[in-house]
Amino acid sequence: EAAVTQSPRNKVTVTGGNVTLSCRQTNSHNYMYWYRQDTGHGLRLIHYSYGAGNLQIGDVPDGYKATRTTQEDFFLLLELASPSQTSLYFCASSMGLYAEQFFGPGTRLTVL
Amino acid sequence: SQWGEENLQALSIQEGEDVTMNCSYKTYTTVVHWYRQDSGRGPALIILIRSNEREKRSGRLRATLDTSSQSSSLSITAAQCEDTAVYFCATDASSGSWQLIFGSGTQLTVMP
């Protein structure tokens, strides 16, 4: 079965802090995505990638960097975290752009 | 109905009732995904319906797609308590940079 894991599951940092969220998929999928989910709202795409070394900008990229180091690993970087980035972050993977997306369990980030 | 930045919708029904959730989208789409998200977990795909399909069924679930009205629906027949979850529709949107656009979601509560 498809597997997407995320770490850490919970993270608390202070304004201006440096945070890295990690995602690994063992599905051999080409595409990986980072979303944020805020209370009462749907998921919003931050960045996505279709392979190692590739990065595409999503709908809400400001304040976020991402890097896809291998087919399996996709990282989300917040270099100067702000309270507005307090959210639930999901990573997902898919074989193709229009294909089913498999989501990880999420990382809850709090920026004080 | 759910779309875009609208707040999360809420539906509450009794066990055994039928329920329909609606989703509208703004641009031509090739595929509509329906995901369910249980509390504390990432979304999981339940039905994917393509633009050349008008209806798709999976057990007690039925999705429809009307490309002329740019809308989709998800129906659950004889709802059970375990159907309690948030249900999202998502459609592909291509405006320079591809992305899957998620609706704001419908919180369905099925009461015994």
Side-chain angles (χ1 to χ4, degrees), chain A residues 37-43, chain B residues 4-9 86 88 103-105:
Chain A
Q37 183 177 40
D38 300 294
T39 304
H41 296 278
L43 292 96
Chain B
E5 298 302 314
E6 295 174 12
N7 290 332
L8 178 70
Q9 308 284 306
V86 178
F88 293 98
S104 51

Side-chain angles (χ1 to χ4, degrees), chain A residues 37 40 48 57 97 99 101, chain B residues 8 33 35 37 92 97-99:
Chain A
Q37 183 177 40
Y48 71 100
I57 294 173
L97 272 178
Q101 293 191 11
Chain B
L8 178 70
H33 297 215
Y35 289 83
Q37 184 176 23
D92 61 303
S97 173
W98 176 93
Q99 59 182 284

Side-chain angles (χ1 to χ4, degrees), chain B residues 41-90:
Chain B
R41 304 188 70 173
L45 184 78
I46 51 177
I47 284 188
L48 188 154
I49 183 166
R50 301 187 185 280
S51 58
N52 62 349
E53 299 172 304
R54 296 195 63 178
E55 177 182 293
K56 198 161 189 179
R57 292 178 184 266
S58 177
R60 294 183 294 105
L61 305 177
R62 173 179 172 259
T64 66
L65 177 58
D66 184 342
T67 54
S68 62
S69 66
Q70 295 182 192
S71 64
S72 177
S73 70
L74 176 70
S75 298
I76 303 176
T77 302
Q80 301 171 5
C81 291
E82 51 264 39
D83 295 324
T84 293
V86 178
Y87 292 84
F88 293 98
C89 66

Side-chain angles (χ1 to χ4, degrees), chain B residues 13-19 60 76-81 83 110:
Chain B
I13 62 172
Q14 297 292 133
E15 199 169 30
E17 292 182 349
D18 299 341
V19 62
R60 294 183 294 105
I76 303 176
T77 302
Q80 301 171 5
C81 291
D83 295 324
V110 183

Side-chain angles (χ1 to χ4, degrees), chain A residues 1-4 6 23 25 27 29-36 43-49 74 90-105, chain B residues 31-37 42-48 50 88-93 98-102:
Chain A
E1 186 176 332
V4 180
Q6 295 182 234
C23 176
Q25 56 101 358
N27 313 323
H29 285 167
N30 297 320
Y31 290 83
M32 295 186 74
Y33 314 83
W34 277 107
Y35 292 93
R36 62 177 288 172
L43 292 96
R44 292 182 290 172
L45 182 66
I46 303 170
H47 291 296
Y48 71 100
S49 166
F74 196 28
F90 287 102
C91 176
S93 74
S94 70
M95 181 57 70
L97 272 178
Y98 303 101
E100 173 181 5
Q101 293 191 11
F102 294 86
F103 285 82
Chain B
V31 64
V32 176
H33 297 215
W34 282 95
Y35 289 83
R36 102 173 242 165
Q37 184 176 23
L45 184 78
I46 51 177
I47 284 188
L48 188 154
R50 301 187 185 280
F88 293 98
C89 66
T91 64
D92 61 303
W98 176 93
Q99 59 182 284
L100 198 63
I101 305 291
F102 281 80

Side-chain angles (χ1 to χ4, degrees), chain A residues 48-85:
Chain A
Y48 71 100
S49 166
Y50 57 74
N54 174 265
L55 182 65
Q56 301 293 318
I57 294 173
D59 196 38
V60 289
D62 293 345
Y64 301 97
K65 293 185 178 179
T67 181
R68 178 90 175 269
T69 54
T70 64
Q71 186 182 36
E72 294 79 20
D73 298 303
F74 196 28
F75 300 92
L76 185 67
L77 297 81
L78 292 73
E79 294 183 334
L80 287 171
S82 72
S84 64
Q85 294 177 307

